[in-house]
């Protein structure tokens, strides 16, 4: 099971016969277990469009997306319950403003479960659990979501999707607009969710440090084409990733320039700052 | 929502695009008045012919105009039915006894099913509809057999047909004219033209500049807000609020889940816009210069001449 893309193309309509081709002939398979995937690429490369295909919010212009065995094609099929697909695949949008609407945080998080016919009490329980999962205490349950800070709104919006208990969790730039501490907290949260439940998590991000440190698979999109599909290690060992408008993680860039300037021969492929620091410390001591 | 053509500018470079918006607005208003002066079906047919020639000469895509008429099909159809059913002037064209029986009702249901099936192919839908109407007529007239439940009399007078043709063509001309105006004029130009035309009203307290600013900002934000609405819909759909499936009770909550973020985002956006305008030294009510000044050229002269000729023509046929 999971998500399979088979030669998927997608075009946004434009004036007359012109259209914008957002995705070109994409084929890939995503398992619904034990994957932590980063979807990267420059702005306008089709990342969000690809993510929206994964829970059938938009349909491919050609090709098939198979979501947990249900084929999604260009035509809306009346036999398919698209809604149940969206329960299995949770998609968190980039801006929490687009989804918060209730007067309390609790009610807002309960909106998703209740749409999927979860009984009131159970939904309440799920809301509480989801809120704690994103690192907010119970006293937030009665707060008004519009009076929260940007980071708190973001976490509430993620809790709103988590409460639906999806098999695969997709997050569109979950760390944008967050302070470094909040960023770390969220990424660690995703990591622990992934470890504990074995859910596949897909994040769209521009932050290569996070990609390198946390994920175990990277999809690179460039101008609507899937250019790379593999481990972050393999990706950052390449020397031509700037042709896809990507950067190297800070650890790699720093260690590489230390190597160049001081003619060391350090192992530059360190995933975390701590690992990089200890590599440098070792070199300095010896 | 993509069918709504009023207010949709299509980039192009033909004659109509280079006319001063003020000339265009006045010309369209005058031509509409001229259309209403016409009294017989032949006159409106000629008017329609002139409108068609102008469209072809201006290379306005006719397909786009037809598409823009779509929301008005119901109105046109209603006019047709109303005129044919209730106009009792002139000579009788058709006088038939309509019979209703279990058989004819069965046949009518069958015809409806066939019509809907064929209509799903989406070609010649209007033609199909007329074929369906003719079919219904034929069934009620000839295929009733016994037992008869009731009968009614369908009487069509020639004036009914002529009047419905007249009203429909007149509507078509007016819609075509206004569509051509909006297709070939940028919304910003349109408001600039309106502002310029309404300036004399300052004497009675209506500030046309504020008015034009309000309109142009509203127009500018229609696509943005539609886009935003789409995003909100997607965000809520991914939380299970499917606007296509689902029960009525749920739909109420779902609509609220769409409206609340819409309002909040719209308010936030307007505050940001106000700040952005002020930070670029916009002061309400102060005179402003423009990048594009409206200028009168030979095309406006030609337009004016043609418009005046049309008006004079329709006044002439009315008086004579």
């Amino acid at each position: 099971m999971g998500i399979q893309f088979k030669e998927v193309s997608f075009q946004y309509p434009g004036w007359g016969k012109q259209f914008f081709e957002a995705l070109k002939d994409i084929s890939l398979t995503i398992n619904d277990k034990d994957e932590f995937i980063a979807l990267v690429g420059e702005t306008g490369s089709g990342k969000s469009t690809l993510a929206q295909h994964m829970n059938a919010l938009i349909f491919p212009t050609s090709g098939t997306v198979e979501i947990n065995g249900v084929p999604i094609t260009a035509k809306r099929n009346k036999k398919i319950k698209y809604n149940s697909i969206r329960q299995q695949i949770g998609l968190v949008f980039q801006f929490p403003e687009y989804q918060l609407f209730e007067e309390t945080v609790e009610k807002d998080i309960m909106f998703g479960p209740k749409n999927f016919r979860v009984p009131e009490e159970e939904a309440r329980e799920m809301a509480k659990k989801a809120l704690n999962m994103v690192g907010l205490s119970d006293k937030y349950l009665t707060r008004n979501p519009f009076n929260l800070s940007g980071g708190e709104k973001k976490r509430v919006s993620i809790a709103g999707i988590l409460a639906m208990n999806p098999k695969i969790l997709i997050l569109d730039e979950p760390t944008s607009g967050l302070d470094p501490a909040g960023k770390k907290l969220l990424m660690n949260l995703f990591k622990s969710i992934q470890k504990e439940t074995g859910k596949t998590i897909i994040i769209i991000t521009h932050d290569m440090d996070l990609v390198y440190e946390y994920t175990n698979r990277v999809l690179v999109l460039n101008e609507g084409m899937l250019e790379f599909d593999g481990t972050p290690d393999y990706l950052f060992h390449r020397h031509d990733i700037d042709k896809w408008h990507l950067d190297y993680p800070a650890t790699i860039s720093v260690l590489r320039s230390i190597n160049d300037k001081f003619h060391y021969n350090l192992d530059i492929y360190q995933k975390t700052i701590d690992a990089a620091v200890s590599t440098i410390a070792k070199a300095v001591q010896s | 929502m993509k069918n709504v053509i009023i207010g949709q500018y299509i980039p192009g470079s033909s004659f109509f695009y280079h006319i001063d918006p003020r000339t265009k607005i006045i010309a369209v208003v005058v031509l509409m008045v001229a259309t209403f002066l016409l009294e017989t079906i032949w006159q409106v047919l000629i008017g329609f012919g002139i409108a068609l020639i102008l469209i072809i000469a201006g290379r306005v895509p006719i397909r786009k105009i037809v598409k823009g008429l779509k929301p008005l099909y119901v109105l046109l159809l209603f006019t047709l039915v109303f005129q044919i059913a209730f106009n009792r002037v002139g000579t009788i064209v058709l006088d038939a006894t309509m019979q209703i029986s279990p058989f004819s009702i069965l046949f009518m249901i069958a015809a409806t099913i066939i019509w809907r099936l064929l209509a799903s192919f989406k070609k010649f839908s209007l033609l199909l509809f007329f074929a369906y109407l003719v079919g219904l007529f034929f069934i009620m007239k000839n295929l009733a057999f016994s037992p008869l439940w009731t009968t009614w009399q369908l009487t069509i007078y020639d004036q009914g047909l002529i009047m419905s043709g007249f009203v429909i063509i007149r509507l078509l001309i007016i819609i075509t004219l206004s569509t051509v105006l909006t297709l070939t004029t940028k919304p910003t130009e349109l408001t600039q033209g309106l502002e310029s035309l309404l300036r004399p009203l300052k004497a009675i307290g209506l500030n046309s500049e504020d008015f034009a600013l309000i309109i142009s900002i509203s127009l500018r934000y229609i696509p943005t807000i539609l886009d935003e609405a789409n995003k909100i819909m997607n965000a809520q759909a991914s939380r299970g609020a499917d606007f296509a499936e689902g029960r009525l009770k749920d739909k109420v909550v779902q609509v609220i889940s769409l409206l609340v973020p819409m309002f909040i985002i719209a308010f936030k956006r307007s505050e940001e816009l106000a700040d952005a305008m002020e930070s670029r030294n916009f002061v309400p009510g102060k005179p402003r210069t423009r990048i594009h000044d409206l200028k009168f050229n030979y095309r406006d002269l030609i337009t004016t001449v043609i418009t005046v000729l049309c008006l004079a023509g329709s006044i002439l046929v009315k008086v004579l």
Side-chain angles (χ1 to χ4, degrees):
Chain A
M1 286 304 168
I3 305 171
Q4 276 100 36
F5 281 75
K6 288 173 192 157
E7 289 157 16
V8 169
S9 296
F10 182 78
Q11 292 161 343
Y12 281 108
W15 287 116
K17 287 212 167 82
Q18 303 168 351
F19 27 72
F20 175 68
E21 204 163 17
L23 295 177
K24 292 170 199 160
D25 199 19
I26 289 192
S27 297
L28 74 111
T29 302
I30 292 165
N31 292 318
D32 62 356
K33 272 207 161 50
D34 301 324
E35 291 210 80
F36 200 150
I37 302 175
L39 189 51
V40 300
E42 67 173 329
T43 310
S45 60
K47 303 184 298 285
S48 295
T49 310
L50 189 73
Q52 288 183 41
H53 274 88
M54 293 181 188
N55 77 345
L57 280 178
I58 46 181
F59 300 162
T61 312
S62 69
T64 317
V65 185
E66 215 174 290
I67 304 172
N68 288 333
V70 182
I72 310 284
T73 50
K75 259 199 173 162
R76 201 182 169 94
N77 186 339
K78 281 198 179 126
K79 282 182 200 138
I80 297 176
K81 286 260 180 274
Y82 293 94
N83 224 1
S84 71
I85 290 173
R86 288 173 199 148
Q87 182 185 10
Q88 295 160 22
I89 318 286
L91 173 61
V92 183
F93 278 75
Q94 186 178 354
F95 300 106
E97 288 82 8
Y98 287 131
Q99 75 175 59
L100 300 177
F101 75 99
E102 284 281 14
E103 60 237 79
T104 67
V105 168
E106 183 181 39
K107 275 190 184 173
D108 205 277
I109 301 177
M110 280 164 66
F111 180 66
K114 273 167 83 182
N115 277 329
F116 297 116
R117 311 262 184 283
V118 173
E120 182 95 14
E121 272 315 302
E122 210 173 310
R124 201 178 296 276
E125 206 49 46
M126 284 165 120
K128 208 171 140 186
K129 226 172 88 190
L131 192 70
N132 293 338
M133 259 174 142
V134 295
L136 295 177
S137 65
D138 287 355
K139 68 172 192 236
Y140 278 90
L141 285 172
T142 51
R143 297 265 308 260
N144 183 327
F146 301 106
N147 293 337
L148 302 175
S149 73
E152 288 166 340
K153 274 186 195 164
K154 195 133 208 172
R155 286 192 243 168
V156 170
S157 74
I158 293 170
I161 302 291
L162 276 176
M164 288 158 33
N165 197 18
K167 285 183 186 143
I168 297 180
L169 184 63
I170 309 167
L171 301 120
D172 195 344
E173 305 208 18
T175 57
S176 70
L178 289 186
D179 54 27
K183 215 183 249 189
K184 221 175 163 94
L185 188 134
L186 267 190
M187 288 310 291
N188 284 329
L189 162 80
F190 300 146
K191 203 175 162 186
S192 67
I193 291 175
Q194 203 260 334
K195 267 213 177 121
E196 279 164 28
T197 60
K199 286 184 207 295
T200 285
I201 292 182
I202 303 169
I203 58 169
I204 296 177
T205 185
H206 291 285
D207 192 332
M208 294 303 145
D209 297 343
L210 300 181
V211 172
Y212 197 35
E213 188 176 341
Y214 290 95
T215 66
N216 55 30
R217 184 176 169 192
V218 190
L219 305 172
V220 178
L221 279 181
N222 190 33
E223 288 174 3
M225 278 176 289
L226 184 64
E227 300 279 5
F228 178 89
D229 179 359
T231 62
D233 265 316
Y234 191 68
L235 175 72
F236 293 123
H237 272 79
R238 294 179 67 131
H239 291 282
D240 56 351
I241 66 169
D242 55 328
K243 75 177 176 194
W244 301 323
H245 314 278
L246 298 181
D247 259 337
Y248 289 93
T251 50
I252 293 181
S253 329
V254 169
L255 287 169
R256 184 176 282 156
S257 41
I258 289 176
N259 272 358
D260 288 350
K261 275 232 167 104
F262 304 107
H263 307 289
Y264 278 117
N265 197 14
L266 303 173
D267 178 13
I268 61 171
Y269 297 104
Q270 303 297 339
K271 293 205 170 189
T272 60
I273 305 260
D274 290 343
V277 167
S278 61
T279 312
I280 297 169
K282 251 185 248 161
V284 171
Q285 278 161 11
S286 63
Chain B
M1 275 187 221
K2 285 188 178 109
N3 284 335
V4 184
I5 208 162
I6 305 274
Q8 272 194 4
Y9 170 78
I10 296 177
S13 61
S14 73
F15 183 80
F16 287 139
Y17 287 87
H18 299 289
I19 309 172
D20 189 309
R22 288 171 296 187
T23 321
K24 260 194 273 194
I25 294 169
I26 292 178
V28 165
V29 172
V30 169
L31 287 176
M32 282 182 183
V33 171
T35 313
F36 272 103
L37 288 175
L38 301 175
E39 276 175 332
T40 69
I41 185 145
W42 298 112
Q43 290 166 5
V44 289
L45 270 178
I46 292 169
F48 191 54
I50 294 173
L52 274 183
I53 291 170
L54 284 177
I55 291 168
I56 292 164
R59 278 177 286 149
V60 179
I62 290 180
R63 234 171 26 130
K64 285 275 171 194
I65 294 177
V66 174
K67 238 178 164 180
L69 288 177
K70 234 175 204 166
L72 295 155
Y73 278 168
V74 181
L75 183 67
L76 294 181
L77 212 69
F78 182 75
T79 316
L80 186 75
V81 171
F82 191 81
Q83 284 289 345
I84 287 178
F86 296 106
N87 200 319
R88 299 253 175 274
V89 186
T91 55
I92 292 171
V93 183
L94 181 102
D95 189 15
T97 311
M98 295 289 155
Q99 301 159 319
I100 294 182
S101 73
F103 276 109
S104 65
I105 286 177
L106 269 182
F107 279 125
M108 279 194 281
I109 292 170
T112 312
I113 291 170
I114 292 172
W115 169 54
R116 287 322 305 171
L117 273 181
L118 288 174
S120 61
F121 293 115
K122 288 211 170 102
K123 271 185 185 155
F124 314 112
S125 58
L126 202 63
L127 216 66
L128 256 175
F129 181 70
F130 278 112
Y132 168 67
L133 285 186
V134 172
L136 282 190
F137 173 74
F138 181 76
I139 288 165
M140 284 198 275
K141 194 168 181 318
N142 299 324
L143 295 178
F145 312 117
S146 58
L148 271 186
W149 280 348
T150 175
T151 60
W152 55 285
Q153 206 67 19
L154 178 70
T155 327
I156 297 176
Y157 293 82
D158 66 342
Q159 281 302 315
L161 284 177
I162 290 171
M163 269 310 281
S164 64
F166 174 75
V167 172
I168 285 175
I169 293 171
R170 199 163 67 177
L171 262 177
L172 278 181
I173 297 176
I174 284 160
I175 294 161
T176 309
L177 283 172
S178 54
T179 312
V180 167
L181 175 70
T182 50
L183 276 180
T184 61
T185 320
K186 281 186 196 137
T188 47
E189 282 181 349
L190 212 56
T191 44
Q192 202 183 340
L194 271 179
E195 180 193 334
S196 175
L197 287 174
L198 294 179
R199 204 163 283 155
L201 292 184
K202 211 168 188 170
I204 60 162
L206 187 96
N207 194 342
S208 69
E209 271 180 19
D210 289 351
F211 178 68
L213 188 71
I214 291 167
I215 292 182
S216 56
I217 289 176
S218 315
L219 287 174
R220 159 67 186 76
Y221 276 95
I222 287 174
T224 315
I225 287 185
L226 278 182
D227 195 48
E228 221 112 70
N230 199 21
K231 276 185 190 158
I232 296 167
M233 245 156 110
N234 276 345
Q236 303 299 25
S238 76
R239 294 209 287 168
D242 197 305
F243 298 91
E245 301 158 14
R247 297 174 301 192
L248 187 72
K249 204 187 97 200
D250 299 338
K251 279 200 174 139
V252 178
V253 186
Q254 288 168 359
V255 168
I256 294 172
S257 79
L258 178 65
L259 285 182
V260 173
M262 282 281 307
F263 269 101
I264 287 169
I265 288 173
F267 274 112
K268 216 165 114 191
R269 215 169 247 294
S270 63
E271 268 168 29
E272 277 167 10
L273 179 71
D275 285 346
M277 283 166 74
E278 266 179 47
S279 71
R280 289 199 270 171
N281 280 344
F282 174 82
V283 181
K286 286 278 155 67
R288 289 189 296 148
T289 53
R290 302 190 171 281
I291 294 179
H292 304 289
D293 262 325
L294 299 178
K295 285 212 180 68
F296 221 65
N297 60 24
Y298 75 94
R299 293 191 183 87
D300 300 295
L301 196 66
I302 297 173
T303 314
T304 314
V305 169
I306 292 177
T307 311
V308 168
L309 279 180
C310 285
L311 183 67
S314 50
I315 290 175
L316 263 182
V317 294
K318 190 171 172 77
V319 173
L320 292 180

